[in-house]
Amino acid sequence: MKALKSKLAIGVIATGLVAGMGTAFAATDAGAQLQGWYNSATTAAKLAIAGDFGSYYATKAKALDDNVDSGLNKARENIATTGRAELAGVNNAINTQNATYLNQITTKGASITGSIGAEYDALVNTTNAVTNGSLAAIGIADSIEITNGVKNHEGVYTNRLNDGAKTTSDAAVAALTGKIVETKAALEALLATEKATATAEVKANLDTKISALQTKLAELTTQLQTAAQGRIADRADVLEAKALSDLESIVKSIN
C-alpha cells in the first residue's frame, strides 16, 4: 500500500511539473487532486483486498469441503466394515451350528448303522437259544413218547412245532421292522420340521437386523450431513462478518 501511494504521488508530481513547463502559472485545486489520488488509491486497495480475500476464502472453503468429504468417506468405510463383519459373524454362527447338527446326525447314524447288525444278531441268537432250548425239551419228551409207541404222531407234532415257531418268529420280525420304519419316519419328519423352522428363524433374524442397520445408517448419514451443512453455513457467516469488519476497520483507519 505504501509503495502504491509513493508511486501515485510521484506520478502526480511528475505530471504537474510537465504540465507547468513553458506555461503561465495557474493555481490547481489541491482538494480535487487529492480526491483523484484518493479515488485511484482506494480502488486499487479494494481490488487488492478482494483478490486476497477471494483466494483465502477459496482455499479455506476447499479445505473445509475436503475435510467433510474425507470424514464422510471414512464413516462410509467404517459402516461397510462393520456391516461385513456382522454379516460374517451371523453366517459363521449359522454355519458352525449347522455343522454341529450335521456332525451329530452323521455320528448317530453311523453309530446306529454300526451297531444294528450286532443288535439283531443278538436278538436272533437269544431267540434261537430260547427256541432251541424249548425245542430240545419238547424233542426229548416227544422222542420218549414216540419211542413208547406214538411214532405216528411224530410228523404231526414236528410240523406243528415248525409252523408255530415260524409264525411267532415272522410276527416278531414284522412287528420289529414296522416299529423301526415308523420310528425313523417320525424322526425324519421331525428333523424336516425343525430344519425348516430353524432356517426360517435365522433368515428372519438376519433380514430384521440388516433392515434395522440400514435404517440406522441412513439416519446417521442424514444427521451428519445436516450438521455439516449447518457448520458450513455458520462458518460462512463468521467469515463474511470478519471480512466486512476488516474492511470497515481499514476504512476507519484512514486519516
Side-chain angles (χ1 to χ4, degrees), residues 72 75-76 78-79 213-228:
L72 179 57
R76 288 171 176 166
N78 291 338
I79 290 168
L213 182 58
Q214 287 175 340
T215 299
K216 182 177 180 180
L217 295 179
E219 292 175 352
L220 177 60
T221 300
T222 300
Q223 178 184 356
L224 294 178
Q225 173 190 322
T226 301

Side-chain angles (χ1 to χ4, degrees), residues 12-28:
V12 170
I13 294 172
T15 301
L17 290 173
V18 172
M21 291 177 65
T23 62
F25 175 80
T28 300

